[in-house]
Amino acid sequence: MRQHYNTESKVEAFFAQKNHLSQHNEAHWKIPTVIVDNYVELGQITALRFLEWVILNPGGVVALPTGKTPEFFIKWMEYYLNNWQQETQNGLMARIGFDPKKKPDFSSLHFFQLDEFFPIPPDHERSFYYFVKNYYIKGFGFDPAKTHMIDTFNLDPQTRKILNNKKTLQEIFNDDPVDLDLRSEKPTDEKLLLRKRAIEAYDEFCRAYEEKIRSLGGIGFFLGGIGPDGHVAFNIKGSSHFSPTRLTNINYETQAAAASDLGGIELVKKKAVVTMGLETITYNPDTVAIIIAAGQSKSGVVADAIEREPSLQYPATSLQQLQNSRFYITESTTKELTTSHETTKKLYKKGLTQPHLVDDLVIRGAMKTGLSLPHALSSRQQETECGHWKLAAEITGQGHEQLMQQTYDRLIQKIEAGLKTPDNQTILHTAPHHDDIELAYFPFLHHLVRSTANSNHFCYCTSGFTAVTNFYVEECMEDVLRFLKEGRLQELDSFDGFKDYNRGQQDITGYLRGISQQNPDTQKLFKSARIVRRLLQEKPTDHFDRVEKSVIEILHILSELEPGRKVPELIQNVKSWLREFEAELVWAHFGINKDQVHHMRLSFYSDDIFPQYPDYEADVKPLLDLFEQLRPSIITLALDPEGSGPDTHYKTLIALSEAIDQYVANHPDINLRIWGYRNVWSRFKPTEADRIIPLSLNSFATLHNMFNNCFVSQKSASFPSYELDGTFSQLAQKIWVEQHDQITHLVGQDYFYKNPNPMLRRAFGSIYMKDMSYKEFTEHIRDVRRLLEAKDELESHPQ
């Protein structure tokens, strides 16, 4: 029997009136949506809504998400539970209408784990079982007896009897791929028979799990995120809206999103998953089902879920059947949502729209009609047929030709700006990870470094160790061991020479010589030399034999490590050395020595599930000190928006922005320019860019050659983007070509291919960059500052 739930909410009404977009209830939004400023506030509304529901529904059934999505939901929950009386009497909860005498009782609730990888040990730091146990059962106070978990590793006594007394799934699958086709196949040997029976046993587990949920009346409160393909729990694109709890496979997009948690996509591809089904979630018509999403990168899948008709291609559209389904999203996540013309006009008049709205409307109209802007200028008939152009004219009061010409002129100015390179500048190129600069504007650097009047320095803010697999480290250490045994490393330099890290430039030169000779073994030799040089810094010793023992020790540690687990500091350091060496190799192509490449290893970066935010002394001050040492007049930085790509990008931006603030305060007369870039994780729209840099086919070839020869740890694409099953250099080219096709369409092919400038005639790709003054940069990142203010507010209260 379905349980009846109380779904009233004062929390939603309170937050909806705070945001100008939430106040406009767009008729074409098929799921009610509440919009907040940033993901700190997203966690706050979600925590308050959950607390409200628990108070109203003692004994209810709940399902909560795992992973990085609920970080601030958990932090706000901890805050409110620890400060209940204060907040319900004098704080925000009092203003909303919470009763101080009615504190939620989590021990009365039934908790069901949403999903899990198959197989994975429950004590694995990235298993969802581990997350639930540590953050929800311990953190919130759920009753373990009423908490229903998914253990896809340890076999219960009854299951062991039918599986030859095996105790774990590891003994059955042995790190081999999980082949669910065995359900319908006849096993040809004992090993396959055991695997077939194990799959059938978990099919039965899923049936019983589903039955238990329904026997308790169905899920009453569901909270989840949404994946890059639109998946909810592990209900990927194409999942039936009538799907129950089940053992199933996941698609490439979902595997790529999970790669960093489980040690590489090669390992994720071997796993299946157990997940609640879409019908499991929607079984009870009273279910409060909330999807939370933050960041511009989620705006497309969010718009699909909210605006499209129910479809198997968009799993979250299944929630449209629930009266109490909701999307809670940040303002940056609204980028692809449709707003009515009337709403747009109202917001424009109030100054609440994006600054490039009019140009965006003109460009969207050009893309929709298939007309270039020059053709649109002479095509009067399109004026009334294109709603975007009509809206642009209405809100500005300008004519068709004037709007087209202004947008065209601004695009041409950006292309011309992209052809120019600065002179007599000190340029500090900064990056969160070691391949971010290369994947954003590597071809442009060919022009920047040619001028001897410019001084170029490269700053890598983090160690980047999480992007290196254990397998690759093992391969590198085995190379070191081989070269030591063969005596080839000893022939390169004396022992005292290896102890001198200042002689590390010869490792770079030797590796590049190996590239020129097309000799991979020489490249491995000099990479091994760098590892030995680093090892002698880390673990000083007096003989090559002791170095060999250190290498054997590292190999032993690796043999004991399960992929995806937290790694010891020594292994983190080895991974960092490899990434740093790779970055130094790139710039040595241009004759830039390693003393112009600065490795910061900022402390906020870690492999924790919720890494810390930048600290002033540990993270901001080292950057400021570097600024003061180099006195840059141009600083480049990754300008990814909130919630797009690795959160390292956003946190690095926070650290850099604080250091830049202090740097400018120290030198008020400096004419600092800040160049913002994006790469494979997010895109600028043409209206957001200030420089549009044309690229030749030769630029693509150079990028791939560099990437494959230098970033060897990344060649296998173990931690890829969900957009492309290939290397990041391939994805960078794909993006640059798409951007060029867009620009070519807008300004017309003749502008490029009949241009007197050969750099434009040979262009087949385009890079978009922002070029800002300090004042413009400060305005652009105001959302970062608001997020930090919200975070500081949360952390400043007593716990």
Side-chain angles (χ1 to χ4, degrees), residues 716-785:
S716 63
S718 293
F719 307 102
S721 164
Y722 66 87
E723 291 187 60
L724 181 74
D725 191 357
T727 64
F728 280 129
S729 64
Q730 291 172 304
L731 180 54
Q733 177 175 337
K734 176 177 178 288
I735 292 167
W736 295 340
V737 169
E738 288 173 353
Q739 290 177 169
H740 187 68
D741 288 347
Q742 182 182 38
I743 289 298
T744 303
H745 170 79
L746 291 171
V747 302
Q749 290 193 20
D750 286 355
Y751 174 79
F752 282 95
Y753 305 123
K754 293 183 179 180
N755 200 293
N757 189 325
M759 291 188 68
L760 293 175
R761 291 200 305 273
R762 69 178 188 174
F764 289 92
S766 291
I767 292 172
Y768 294 173
M769 292 184 75
K770 283 197 70 65
D771 183 348
M772 300 167 283
S773 66
Y774 170 68
K775 182 179 179 182
E776 290 167 333
F777 172 68
T778 300
E779 175 63 20
H780 185 81
I781 63 163
R782 64 185 185 278
D783 61 326
V784 176
R785 304 192 190 282

Coordinates of all heavy atoms in Angstrom, one line a residue, residues 716-785:
S716 N 46.4 7.4 -22.7 CA 45.4 6.3 -22.7 C 44.0 6.9 -22.3 O 43.0 6.1 -22.4 CB 45.8 5.3 -21.7 OG 45.8 5.8 -20.4
A717 N 43.9 8.2 -22.0 CA 42.7 8.8 -21.6 C 41.9 8.0 -20.6 O 40.8 7.7 -20.7 CB 41.8 9.0 -22.9
S718 N 42.7 7.8 -19.5 CA 42.1 7.0 -18.3 C 41.0 7.8 -17.6 O 40.1 7.3 -17.0 CB 43.2 6.6 -17.4 OG 44.0 5.6 -17.9
F719 N 41.1 9.2 -17.7 CA 40.2 10.0 -17.0 C 39.6 11.0 -18.0 O 39.9 12.2 -18.0 CB 40.8 10.8 -15.9 CG 41.5 9.9 -14.9 CD1 42.9 9.7 -14.9 CD2 40.8 9.2 -14.0 CE1 43.5 8.9 -14.0 CE2 41.4 8.3 -13.1 CZ 42.8 8.2 -13.1
P720 N 38.8 10.5 -19.0 CA 38.5 11.3 -20.2 C 37.2 12.2 -19.9 O 36.6 12.1 -18.9 CB 38.1 10.3 -21.2 CG 37.5 9.2 -20.4 CD 38.3 9.1 -19.1
S721 N 36.9 13.1 -20.8 CA 35.7 13.8 -20.8 C 34.6 12.9 -21.3 O 34.8 12.0 -22.1 CB 35.8 15.0 -21.8 OG 34.5 15.5 -22.1
Y722 N 33.4 13.1 -20.8 CA 32.2 12.3 -21.2 C 31.8 12.6 -22.7 O 31.1 11.9 -23.3 CB 31.0 12.6 -20.3 CG 30.5 14.0 -20.4 CD1 29.5 14.3 -21.4 CD2 30.9 15.0 -19.6 CE1 29.0 15.6 -21.5 CE2 30.4 16.3 -19.7 CZ 29.5 16.6 -20.7 OH 29.0 17.9 -20.8
E723 N 32.4 13.6 -23.3 CA 32.0 14.0 -24.6 C 32.7 13.2 -25.7 O 32.2 13.2 -26.8 CB 32.4 15.5 -24.9 CG 31.5 16.5 -24.1 CD 31.8 17.9 -24.5 OE1 31.6 18.2 -25.7 OE2 32.2 18.7 -23.7
L724 N 33.9 12.6 -25.4 CA 34.6 12.0 -26.5 C 35.4 10.8 -25.9 O 36.1 11.0 -24.9 CB 35.6 12.9 -27.2 CG 36.4 12.4 -28.3 CD1 35.5 12.2 -29.6 CD2 37.6 13.3 -28.7
D725 N 35.3 9.6 -26.5 CA 36.1 8.5 -26.1 C 37.4 8.5 -26.9 O 37.6 7.9 -27.9 CB 35.3 7.2 -26.4 CG 36.0 6.0 -25.8 OD1 37.0 6.1 -25.2 OD2 35.4 4.9 -26.0
G726 N 38.3 9.4 -26.4 CA 39.6 9.6 -27.0 C 40.5 10.5 -26.2 O 40.1 10.9 -25.1
T727 N 41.6 10.9 -26.7 CA 42.5 11.8 -26.0 C 42.0 13.2 -25.9 O 41.1 13.6 -26.7 CB 43.9 11.8 -26.6 OG1 43.8 12.4 -27.9 CG2 44.5 10.4 -26.7
F728 N 42.4 13.9 -24.9 CA 42.0 15.3 -24.8 C 42.4 16.2 -26.0 O 41.7 17.2 -26.3 CB 42.5 15.9 -23.5 CG 41.8 15.5 -22.3 CD1 42.4 15.0 -21.2 CD2 40.4 15.6 -22.2 CE1 41.7 14.6 -20.0 CE2 39.7 15.2 -21.1 CZ 40.3 14.7 -20.0
S729 N 43.5 15.9 -26.6 CA 43.9 16.7 -27.7 C 42.9 16.5 -28.9 O 42.7 17.5 -29.6 CB 45.4 16.3 -28.2 OG 45.4 15.0 -28.7
Q730 N 42.4 15.4 -29.0 CA 41.3 15.2 -30.1 C 40.1 16.0 -29.7 O 39.5 16.5 -30.6 CB 41.0 13.7 -30.2 CG 42.1 12.8 -30.7 CD 41.7 11.3 -30.6 OE1 41.5 10.8 -29.5 NE2 41.8 10.6 -31.8
L731 N 39.7 16.0 -28.4 CA 38.6 16.8 -28.1 C 38.8 18.3 -28.2 O 37.9 19.0 -28.7 CB 38.2 16.4 -26.6 CG 37.0 17.2 -26.0 CD1 35.7 17.0 -26.9 CD2 36.7 16.7 -24.6
A732 N 40.0 18.7 -27.9 CA 40.3 20.1 -28.1 C 40.2 20.5 -29.6 O 39.6 21.6 -29.9 CB 41.8 20.4 -27.6
Q733 N 40.7 19.7 -30.5 CA 40.5 20.0 -31.9 C 39.1 20.0 -32.3 O 38.6 20.9 -33.0 CB 41.3 19.0 -32.7 CG 41.1 19.2 -34.2 CD 41.9 18.2 -35.1 OE1 42.9 17.7 -34.7 NE2 41.5 18.0 -36.3
K734 N 38.3 19.1 -31.8 CA 36.9 19.0 -32.1 C 36.2 20.3 -31.7 O 35.4 20.9 -32.5 CB 36.2 17.8 -31.4 CG 34.7 17.7 -31.6 CD 34.2 16.4 -30.9 CE 32.7 16.3 -31.0 NZ 32.0 17.2 -30.1
I735 N 36.5 20.8 -30.5 CA 35.9 22.0 -30.0 C 36.3 23.2 -30.9 O 35.5 24.1 -31.3 CB 36.3 22.3 -28.5 CG1 35.6 21.2 -27.7 CG2 35.9 23.7 -28.1 CD1 36.2 21.1 -26.3
W736 N 37.6 23.3 -31.2 CA 38.1 24.5 -32.0 C 37.5 24.5 -33.4 O 37.2 25.5 -33.9 CB 39.6 24.4 -32.1 CG 40.3 24.6 -30.7 CD1 39.8 25.1 -29.6 CD2 41.6 24.2 -30.4 NE1 40.7 25.1 -28.6 CE2 41.9 24.5 -29.0 CE3 42.7 23.6 -31.1 CZ2 43.1 24.3 -28.4 CZ3 43.9 23.3 -30.5 CH2 44.1 23.7 -29.1
V737 N 37.3 23.3 -34.0 CA 36.7 23.2 -35.3 C 35.2 23.7 -35.2 O 34.7 24.4 -36.1 CB 36.8 21.8 -35.9 CG1 36.0 21.7 -37.1 CG2 38.3 21.5 -36.2
E738 N 34.5 23.2 -34.2 CA 33.1 23.6 -34.0 C 33.0 25.1 -33.8 O 32.1 25.7 -34.4 CB 32.5 22.8 -32.8 CG 32.3 21.4 -33.0 CD 31.9 20.6 -31.8 OE1 31.9 21.3 -30.7 OE2 31.5 19.4 -31.9
Q739 N 33.9 25.7 -33.0 CA 33.8 27.1 -32.8 C 34.1 27.9 -34.1 O 33.5 28.9 -34.4 CB 34.8 27.5 -31.7 CG 34.4 27.0 -30.4 CD 35.4 27.3 -29.3 OE1 35.1 27.2 -28.1 NE2 36.6 27.8 -29.6
H740 N 35.0 27.4 -34.9 CA 35.3 28.0 -36.2 C 34.2 27.9 -37.2 O 33.8 28.9 -37.9 CB 36.6 27.4 -36.8 CG 37.1 28.2 -38.0 ND1 37.6 29.4 -38.0 CD2 37.0 27.8 -39.4 CE1 37.9 29.9 -39.2 NE2 37.6 28.9 -40.1
D741 N 33.5 26.7 -37.2 CA 32.4 26.6 -38.1 C 31.3 27.6 -37.7 O 30.6 28.1 -38.5 CB 31.8 25.2 -37.9 CG 32.7 24.1 -38.6 OD1 33.6 24.5 -39.4 OD2 32.5 22.9 -38.4
Q742 N 31.1 27.8 -36.4 CA 30.1 28.8 -35.9 C 30.5 30.2 -36.4 O 29.6 30.9 -36.9 CB 30.1 28.7 -34.4 CG 29.1 29.6 -33.7 CD 29.1 29.5 -32.2 OE1 30.2 29.4 -31.6 NE2 28.0 29.6 -31.6
I743 N 31.7 30.6 -36.2 CA 32.1 31.9 -36.6 C 32.1 32.1 -38.1 O 31.6 33.1 -38.6 CB 33.6 32.2 -36.1 CG1 33.6 32.4 -34.6 CG2 34.2 33.5 -36.8 CD1 32.7 33.5 -34.1
T744 N 32.5 31.1 -38.8 CA 32.4 31.1 -40.3 C 31.0 31.3 -40.8 O 30.7 32.1 -41.7 CB 33.0 29.8 -40.9 OG1 34.4 29.7 -40.4 CG2 33.1 29.9 -42.4
H745 N 30.1 30.6 -40.1 CA 28.7 30.7 -40.5 C 28.2 32.2 -40.2 O 27.5 32.7 -41.0 CB 27.8 29.8 -39.7 CG 26.3 30.0 -39.8 ND1 25.6 29.6 -40.9 CD2 25.5 30.7 -39.0 CE1 24.4 30.0 -40.8 NE2 24.2 30.6 -39.7
L746 N 28.6 32.7 -39.1 CA 28.1 34.0 -38.7 C 28.6 35.2 -39.6 O 27.8 36.0 -40.0 CB 28.4 34.3 -37.2 CG 27.7 33.4 -36.2 CD1 28.2 33.6 -34.8 CD2 26.2 33.8 -36.2
V747 N 29.9 35.2 -39.8 CA 30.5 36.3 -40.6 C 30.6 36.0 -42.1 O 30.9 36.9 -42.9 CB 31.9 36.7 -40.1 CG1 31.8 37.1 -38.6 CG2 32.9 35.6 -40.3
G748 N 30.3 34.8 -42.5 CA 30.3 34.4 -43.9 C 31.7 33.8 -44.3 O 32.7 34.3 -43.8
Q749 N 31.7 32.8 -45.1 CA 32.9 32.1 -45.5 C 33.9 33.1 -46.3 O 35.1 33.0 -46.2 CB 32.6 30.9 -46.4 CG 32.0 29.8 -45.6 CD 32.0 28.5 -46.4 OE1 32.8 28.3 -47.3 NE2 31.2 27.5 -46.0
D750 N 33.3 34.0 -47.0 CA 34.1 34.9 -47.8 C 35.1 35.7 -47.0 O 36.2 36.0 -47.4 CB 33.3 35.8 -48.6 CG 32.6 35.1 -49.8 OD1 32.9 33.9 -50.0 OD2 31.7 35.7 -50.5
Y751 N 34.6 36.0 -45.8 CA 35.5 36.8 -44.9 C 36.8 36.1 -44.6 O 37.9 36.7 -44.6 CB 34.8 37.1 -43.5 CG 35.8 37.8 -42.6 CD1 36.0 39.2 -42.7 CD2 36.5 37.1 -41.6 CE1 36.9 39.8 -41.8 CE2 37.4 37.7 -40.7 CZ 37.6 39.1 -40.9 OH 38.5 39.7 -40.0
F752 N 36.8 34.8 -44.5 CA 38.0 34.0 -44.2 C 38.7 33.6 -45.5 O 39.9 33.9 -45.6 CB 37.6 32.8 -43.4 CG 37.4 33.0 -41.9 CD1 36.1 33.2 -41.5 CD2 38.4 33.1 -41.0 CE1 35.9 33.4 -40.1 CE2 38.2 33.3 -39.7 CZ 37.0 33.5 -39.2
Y753 N 38.0 33.0 -46.4 CA 38.7 32.4 -47.5 C 38.9 33.3 -48.7 O 39.6 32.8 -49.7 CB 37.9 31.1 -47.9 CG 37.8 30.2 -46.6 CD1 36.5 29.8 -46.2 CD2 38.9 29.9 -45.9 CE1 36.4 29.0 -45.1 CE2 38.8 29.1 -44.8 CZ 37.5 28.7 -44.3 OH 37.4 27.9 -43.2
K754 N 38.5 34.5 -48.7 CA 38.9 35.5 -49.7 C 39.6 36.7 -49.0 O 39.7 37.8 -49.6 CB 37.6 36.0 -50.4 CG 37.0 34.9 -51.3 CD 35.8 35.5 -52.1 CE 35.1 34.4 -52.9 NZ 34.0 34.9 -53.7
N755 N 40.1 36.5 -47.8 CA 40.7 37.5 -47.1 C 42.2 37.7 -47.5 O 42.9 36.7 -47.8 CB 40.7 37.2 -45.6 CG 40.9 38.4 -44.7 OD1 42.0 39.0 -44.7 ND2 39.9 38.8 -44.0
P756 N 42.7 38.9 -47.6 CA 44.1 39.1 -48.0 C 45.1 38.6 -47.0 O 46.3 38.3 -47.3 CB 44.2 40.6 -48.2 CG 43.1 41.2 -47.4 CD 42.0 40.2 -47.5
N757 N 44.6 38.4 -45.7 CA 45.5 37.9 -44.7 C 45.6 36.4 -44.8 O 44.6 35.7 -44.6 CB 45.0 38.3 -43.3 CG 46.0 38.0 -42.2 OD1 46.7 37.0 -42.2 ND2 46.0 38.9 -41.2
P758 N 46.8 35.8 -45.0 CA 46.9 34.3 -45.1 C 46.6 33.6 -43.8 O 46.2 32.4 -43.9 CB 48.4 34.1 -45.5 CG 49.1 35.4 -45.1 CD 48.1 36.5 -45.2
M759 N 46.7 34.2 -42.7 CA 46.4 33.6 -41.4 C 44.9 33.3 -41.3 O 44.5 32.4 -40.7 CB 46.9 34.4 -40.2 CG 48.4 34.4 -40.1 SD 48.9 35.2 -38.5 CE 48.3 34.0 -37.3
L760 N 44.1 34.1 -42.0 CA 42.7 33.9 -42.0 C 42.3 32.9 -43.1 O 41.4 32.1 -43.0 CB 41.9 35.2 -42.2 CG 42.0 36.2 -41.0 CD1 41.4 37.5 -41.4 CD2 41.4 35.6 -39.8
R761 N 43.0 33.0 -44.3 CA 42.6 32.1 -45.4 C 42.9 30.6 -45.0 O 42.3 29.7 -45.5 CB 43.4 32.5 -46.6 CG 43.0 33.8 -47.3 CD 43.5 33.8 -48.7 NE 44.9 33.6 -48.9 CZ 45.8 34.6 -48.8 NH1 45.5 35.8 -48.5 NH2 47.1 34.3 -49.0
R762 N 43.9 30.4 -44.2 CA 44.3 29.0 -43.8 C 43.6 28.5 -42.6 O 43.9 27.4 -42.1 CB 45.8 28.9 -43.6 CG 46.3 29.7 -42.3 CD 47.8 29.5 -42.1 NE 48.1 30.1 -40.8 CZ 49.3 30.0 -40.3 NH1 50.3 29.4 -41.0 NH2 49.6 30.5 -39.1
A763 N 42.7 29.3 -42.0 CA 42.0 29.0 -40.7 C 41.0 27.9 -40.9 O 40.1 27.9 -41.8 CB 41.4 30.2 -40.1
F764 N 41.1 26.9 -40.0 CA 40.1 25.8 -39.9 C 39.7 25.5 -38.5 O 38.9 24.6 -38.2 CB 40.6 24.5 -40.6 CG 40.7 24.6 -42.1 CD1 41.9 25.0 -42.7 CD2 39.6 24.3 -42.9 CE1 42.0 25.1 -44.0 CE2 39.7 24.4 -44.2 CZ 40.9 24.8 -44.8
G765 N 40.1 26.4 -37.6 CA 39.8 26.3 -36.2 C 39.8 27.6 -35.5 O 40.4 28.6 -36.1
S766 N 39.2 27.8 -34.4 CA 39.2 29.1 -33.7 C 39.2 28.8 -32.2 O 38.5 28.0 -31.7 CB 37.9 29.9 -34.0 OG 38.0 30.4 -35.4
I767 N 40.0 29.6 -31.5 CA 40.1 29.6 -30.1 C 39.4 30.9 -29.6 O 39.6 32.0 -30.1 CB 41.6 29.6 -29.6 CG1 42.2 28.3 -29.9 CG2 41.7 29.9 -28.1 CD1 43.7 28.2 -29.6
Y768 N 38.6 30.7 -28.5 CA 37.9 31.8 -27.9 C 38.6 32.2 -26.6 O 38.8 31.3 -25.8 CB 36.4 31.5 -27.6 CG 35.5 31.3 -28.8 CD1 34.2 30.9 -28.6 CD2 35.9 31.6 -30.1 CE1 33.4 30.7 -29.6 CE2 35.1 31.4 -31.1 CZ 33.8 30.9 -30.9 OH 32.9 30.7 -32.0
M769 N 38.9 33.4 -26.4 CA 39.5 33.8 -25.1 C 38.9 35.2 -24.6 O 38.4 36.0 -25.5 CB 41.0 34.0 -25.2 CG 41.8 32.7 -25.4 SD 43.6 33.0 -25.4 CE 43.9 33.2 -23.7
K770 N 38.9 35.4 -23.3 CA 38.5 36.7 -22.8 C 39.7 37.5 -22.4 O 40.7 36.9 -21.9 CB 37.6 36.5 -21.5 CG 36.2 36.1 -21.8 CD 35.3 36.3 -20.6 CE 35.1 37.8 -20.3 NZ 34.3 38.5 -21.4
D771 N 39.7 38.8 -22.7 CA 40.8 39.7 -22.4 C 40.2 40.8 -21.6 O 39.5 41.6 -22.1 CB 41.4 40.2 -23.7 CG 42.6 41.1 -23.5 OD1 42.9 41.5 -22.4 OD2 43.3 41.4 -24.5
M772 N 40.6 40.9 -20.3 CA 39.9 41.8 -19.4 C 40.9 42.6 -18.6 O 42.1 42.2 -18.3 CB 39.2 40.9 -18.3 CG 38.1 40.1 -18.9 SD 37.5 38.9 -17.7 CE 38.8 37.7 -17.7
S773 N 40.5 43.8 -18.3 CA 41.2 44.6 -17.3 C 40.9 44.0 -15.9 O 40.0 43.2 -15.8 CB 40.7 46.1 -17.3 OG 39.3 46.1 -16.9
Y774 N 41.6 44.5 -14.9 CA 41.3 44.0 -13.6 C 39.9 44.3 -13.1 O 39.2 43.5 -12.6 CB 42.3 44.6 -12.5 CG 41.9 44.3 -11.1 CD1 42.0 43.0 -10.6 CD2 41.5 45.3 -10.3 CE1 41.6 42.8 -9.3 CE2 41.1 45.1 -9.0 CZ 41.2 43.8 -8.5 OH 40.8 43.5 -7.2
K775 N 39.4 45.5 -13.5 CA 38.0 45.9 -13.1 C 37.0 45.0 -13.8 O 36.0 44.5 -13.2 CB 37.8 47.4 -13.5 CG 36.4 47.9 -13.2 CD 36.2 49.3 -13.6 CE 34.8 49.8 -13.2 NZ 34.6 51.2 -13.6
E776 N 37.3 44.7 -15.1 CA 36.3 43.8 -15.8 C 36.4 42.4 -15.3 O 35.4 41.7 -15.2 CB 36.7 43.8 -17.3 CG 36.4 45.1 -18.0 CD 37.1 45.2 -19.4 OE1 38.1 44.5 -19.6 OE2 36.6 45.9 -20.3
F777 N 37.6 41.9 -14.9 CA 37.7 40.6 -14.3 C 36.9 40.5 -13.0 O 36.2 39.6 -12.7 CB 39.2 40.3 -14.0 CG 39.5 39.1 -13.2 CD1 39.2 37.8 -13.7 CD2 40.0 39.2 -11.9 CE1 39.5 36.7 -13.0 CE2 40.3 38.0 -11.2 CZ 40.0 36.8 -11.7
T778 N 37.1 41.6 -12.2 CA 36.3 41.6 -10.9 C 34.8 41.5 -11.1 O 34.1 40.8 -10.4 CB 36.7 42.9 -10.1 OG1 38.1 42.9 -9.9 CG2 36.0 43.0 -8.8
E779 N 34.4 42.2 -12.1 CA 32.9 42.2 -12.4 C 32.5 40.8 -12.9 O 31.5 40.2 -12.5 CB 32.6 43.2 -13.5 CG 31.2 43.2 -14.0 CD 30.1 43.5 -12.9 OE1 30.5 44.1 -11.9 OE2 28.9 43.1 -13.1
H780 N 33.4 40.2 -13.7 CA 33.1 38.9 -14.3 C 33.0 37.8 -13.3 O 32.1 36.9 -13.4 CB 34.1 38.5 -15.4 CG 33.8 37.2 -16.1 ND1 33.0 37.2 -17.2 CD2 34.2 35.9 -15.9 CE1 32.9 36.0 -17.6 NE2 33.6 35.2 -16.9
I781 N 33.8 37.9 -12.2 CA 33.8 36.8 -11.2 C 33.0 37.1 -10.0 O 33.2 36.6 -8.9 CB 35.2 36.3 -10.8 CG1 35.9 37.5 -10.2 CG2 36.0 35.8 -12.0 CD1 37.2 37.0 -9.4
R782 N 32.0 38.0 -10.1 CA 31.2 38.4 -8.9 C 30.5 37.2 -8.3 O 30.2 37.1 -7.1 CB 30.3 39.5 -9.3 CG 29.2 39.2 -10.3 CD 28.3 40.4 -10.6 NE 27.2 40.1 -11.5 CZ 27.3 40.0 -12.8 NH1 28.5 40.1 -13.4 NH2 26.2 39.7 -13.5
D783 N 30.2 36.2 -9.2 CA 29.5 35.0 -8.7 C 30.4 34.2 -7.8 O 30.0 33.6 -6.8 CB 29.0 34.1 -9.8 CG 30.1 33.6 -10.7 OD1 31.1 34.4 -10.9 OD2 30.0 32.5 -11.2
V784 N 31.8 34.2 -8.1 CA 32.7 33.6 -7.2 C 32.8 34.2 -5.8 O 32.8 33.6 -4.8 CB 34.2 33.6 -7.8 CG1 35.2 33.0 -6.9 CG2 34.2 32.9 -9.2
R785 N 32.7 35.5 -5.8 CA 32.8 36.3 -4.6 C 31.5 36.1 -3.8 O 31.5 35.9 -2.5 CB 33.0 37.8 -4.9 CG 34.2 38.0 -5.7 CD 34.6 39.5 -5.7 NE 35.6 39.8 -6.7 CZ 36.9 39.5 -6.5 NH1 37.3 38.9 -5.4 NH2 37.8 39.8 -7.5

